[in-house]
Amino acid sequence: MYQQYQSGWIEVITGPMFAGKSEELIRRVNTLTYTKKKIMAFKPKIDDRYDKSAISSHSGMKYQGYAINDCKEILSYITDDVDVIAIDEVQFFSDEIVQICEDLANAGKRVIVAGLDLDFRGEPFGPMPQLITRAEIVTKLTAICTVCSMAATRTQRLIDGKPADIDDPTILVGAKESYEARCRKHHVVLHSGGKKR
Ligand code: TMP
Ligand code: MG
């Protein structure tokens, strides 16, 4: 027997690239459009792959929102009548997003965020560990490993077709041209000097 949640909570949708995180986020907010709830959606401006401001999935789904540079900008859009806040690509925001999500949930709002749990090295990405541990509900999706077709939990970065080096910058916006979903066994990170890990 489950108890209902008090109003105000955080949901995290996470996993590697090509797992359907943005699709799941859009599905949840689309479902909520049948209620009278007021929904607002945000993403970091840096993610301009498929649309300047809409939350967008690799499969072409979109939900109109605001593209912002700094996560603090979210607060300037939120009025008392906003019930649901959806944030995509949340891994790109600074750690300040954690307290912002906490404050919004504490104010009785449903906060739904989607983001990569791991970077191309297989290391926790930005604020994600904090968000995952503070969330009431966590959904960890898997993709399909491009090598063995088993469940993929990692994201492989490929530069000119070769695994990226551990010292490469964390942020590189891209899609199929630079990234593939991989399982633990087939995820490769080069250590400087070209050695595989
Ligand atoms: P997606 O989760 O919606 O597929 O998009 C993830 C974005 O994050 C995409 O623009 C590529 C980027 N990214 C990085 O900047 N660094 C990384 O280490 C990884 C794995 C992805
Ligand atoms: Mg996405």
Side-chain angles (χ1 to χ4, degrees):
M1 173 70 177
Y2 292 103
Q3 294 300 111
Q4 284 196 326
Y5 290 93
Q6 277 282 3
S7 61
W9 66 82
I10 302 174
E11 295 167 40
V12 175
I13 302 162
T14 193
M17 288 180 71
F18 313 111
K21 300 182 301 299
S22 303
E23 214 170 86
E24 174 60 16
L25 180 64
I26 295 168
R27 189 192 67 78
R28 288 187 199 179
V29 289
N30 273 341
T31 306
L32 287 166
T33 57
Y34 293 102
T35 66
K36 292 215 163 58
K37 299 206 180 300
K38 182 162 179 190
I39 305 160
M40 295 206 75
F42 300 92
K43 72 170 187 181
K45 219 174 229 165
I46 179 178
D47 173 42
D48 57 358
R49 291 171 300 171
Y50 301 111
D51 196 287
K52 267 200 161 67
S53 55
I55 291 179
S56 314
S57 73
H58 294 289
S59 62
M61 285 168 75
K62 284 185 193 219
Y63 187 87
Q64 199 50 55
Y66 295 94
I68 52 173
N69 280 315
D70 185 321
C71 58
K72 288 199 285 295
E73 290 172 50
I74 292 174
L75 299 174
S76 64
Y77 288 97
I78 304 298
T79 43
D80 282 351
D81 59 339
V82 175
D83 303 294
V84 180
I85 296 109
I87 311 170
D88 199 15
E89 305 294 342
V90 72
Q91 77 276 354
F92 286 145
F93 286 121
S94 72
D95 285 348
E96 286 173 302
I97 191 67
V98 178
Q99 195 55 50
I100 291 171
C101 290
E102 284 270 272
D103 290 345
L104 291 169
N106 290 340
K109 303 187 188 299
R110 177 172 173 183
V111 182
I112 318 174
V113 305
L116 290 170
D117 48 356
L118 301 172
D119 65 15
F120 75 97
R121 306 178 189 93
E123 298 295 335
F125 208 140
M128 292 306 289
Q130 284 284 341
L131 288 168
I132 288 168
T133 46
R134 286 159 190 267
E136 275 80 359
I137 304 162
V138 178
T139 306
K140 185 156 170 164
L141 301 173
T142 53
I144 299 293
C145 174
T146 53
V147 178
C148 67
S149 299
M150 304 288 273
T153 52
R154 307 280 190 279
T155 307
Q156 179 70 53
R157 183 186 288 173
L158 296 166
I159 305 294
D160 299 327
K162 294 196 188 72
D165 191 281
I166 195 155
D167 292 329
D168 286 354
T170 301
I171 295 182
L172 172 72
V173 171
K176 290 221 158 90
E177 74 296 341
S178 313
Y179 293 101
E180 287 181 356
R182 297 279 179 94
C183 67
R184 177 185 287 279
K185 186 176 167 189
H186 293 117
H187 178 250
V188 181
V189 182
L190 290 187
H191 283 237
S192 294
K195 259 177 62 193
K196 276 186 189 175
R197 183 169 76 173

